[in-house]
Structures are given as structure tokens and as C-alpha cells.
Amino acid sequence: MRHGKKFNHLGRKTAHRKAMLANMTCSLIQHKRINTTLAKAKALRLFAEPLITKSKADTTHNRRIVFSYLRDKFAVTELFKEISVKIADRPGGYLRIIKLGNRQGDNAPMAMIEFVDYNEIYNPKGKKAKRSTRRGRSKKANAPQVEQTTTEEKSEE
């Protein structure tokens, strides 16, 4: 029975799963994107996003909490120095999962997981495209052209 099963156990014991997710998070921090199976990518997002949120406030306590999960001081340093600066204004959703198709050997669904702010293809210059919330036509498009021609005719006379 699956009572109380809140996350994917990935067919591993607890210690193996925690070590694997910590190693994958360190690789993600170092390389900014990694390829893995879809199930591992979804589990990694649940594991890594709270740690990234902790890195927004650079305190000794937060560093020690993140270090207790990752156990790699170089990854913790890069997370707090570089990545937290780039994601400071983002309220969440730091990682993006892109499906890549199936693996040739065992037909497992593959995915690429990456930091949203480090992909220049989807968001050039790190800026979001500003969208208008109004759905109607702009006032300039609705304005009659008659007034402009009458002022031009008066100036010619």
C-alpha cells in the first residue's frame, strides 16, 4: 500500500537516495544543467529548490543547513556567491525540466534539468518580456485619422 507516500523513492534505500540527490544537486550547481531520467529530475527539483531558497539569505545558519544536505563546500560556496545573486528577485521556480525523449537502451524517459536564469535562449539578457494586461486595441489604433488631416490642411493654407 502507498499510504503516506509523498515523494518518489526511486527504488532506493533512504541513504542511497539522499546521497544520489545531493550529488546530483552539486553537479547541477556546478554545470547549471544536467541530463537525467524524468523521475530523477522531478525528485531533484523537490530536493534542490528549498536549498536554493535558503541561499537567498546568506547567513551562517543557512550555509550550515545547506552544507548538511550537500556535503560539498565548493557547491555551497558557488550556490551562495553566484547563483543566489542571480535568482535574488525570483519568488520560486528556479529550475526548469525539459523532456528529451526516451533513452535508446531501456526506453526510459529522459529530461534535462537546468536553472531558469542561466538559459540565454529562453530569456535573453535575463529580462522577461513585458506583456500587456489589456486585451483591447490601443487608443492610438482607435483614434480617428480625420483630426490629423484637418490640422495638416490648416497649416498648408
Side-chain angles (χ1 to χ4, degrees):
M1 287 185 269
R2 61 164 313 279
H3 298 306
K5 181 180 173 190
K6 300 283 187 194
F7 57 92
N8 193 348
H9 295 283
L10 299 173
R12 288 161 172 82
K13 303 279 179 154
T14 304
H16 184 186
R17 184 175 58 250
K18 286 181 180 177
M20 182 191 66
L21 290 173
N23 289 334
M24 289 175 67
T25 305
C26 292
S27 296
L28 180 66
I29 290 169
Q30 181 183 357
H31 300 293
K32 309 300 185 267
R33 76 172 52 145
I34 56 173
N35 291 338
T36 183
T37 62
L38 184 61
K40 285 182 190 174
K42 289 178 179 179
L44 180 63
R45 183 170 53 185
L46 289 177
F47 182 84
E49 287 205 353
L51 300 179
I52 298 167
T53 303
K54 288 270 188 211
S55 74
K56 290 167 108 174
D58 190 3
T59 62
T60 305
H61 184 62
N62 284 347
R63 280 181 178 264
R64 286 178 177 167
I65 289 173
V66 172
F67 183 76
S68 71
Y69 283 94
L70 297 184
R71 298 180 297 277
D72 183 1
K73 72 178 177 184
F74 299 112
V76 172
T77 303
E78 183 159 345
L79 178 64
F80 277 86
K81 294 257 173 146
E82 294 178 20
I83 296 174
S84 66
V85 172
K86 200 154 187 176
I87 56 117
D89 58 340
R90 184 175 288 277
Y94 313 109
L95 300 175
R96 174 186 294 131
I97 295 176
I98 300 172
K99 295 179 184 178
L100 299 176
N102 293 342
R103 188 162 50 195
Q104 190 172 6
D106 59 353
N107 208 29
M110 297 297 290
M112 177 177 65
I113 184 167
E114 64 181 3
F115 281 99
V116 172
D117 293 320
Y118 280 88
N119 190 334
E120 288 78 23
I121 295 172
Y122 283 122
N123 49 349
K125 299 178 187 172
K127 302 278 184 174
K128 288 185 180 178
K130 192 169 185 180
R131 293 187 180 181
S132 174
T133 57
R134 299 191 57 108
R135 294 178 186 232
R137 291 163 53 194
S138 65
K139 292 182 180 180
K140 292 179 183 176
N142 291 338
Q145 299 294 329
V146 178
E147 294 179 83
Q148 293 175 355
T149 56
T150 56
T151 55
E152 289 174 6
E153 292 172 359
K154 291 179 181 177
S155 62
E156 290 176 10
E157 293 177 4

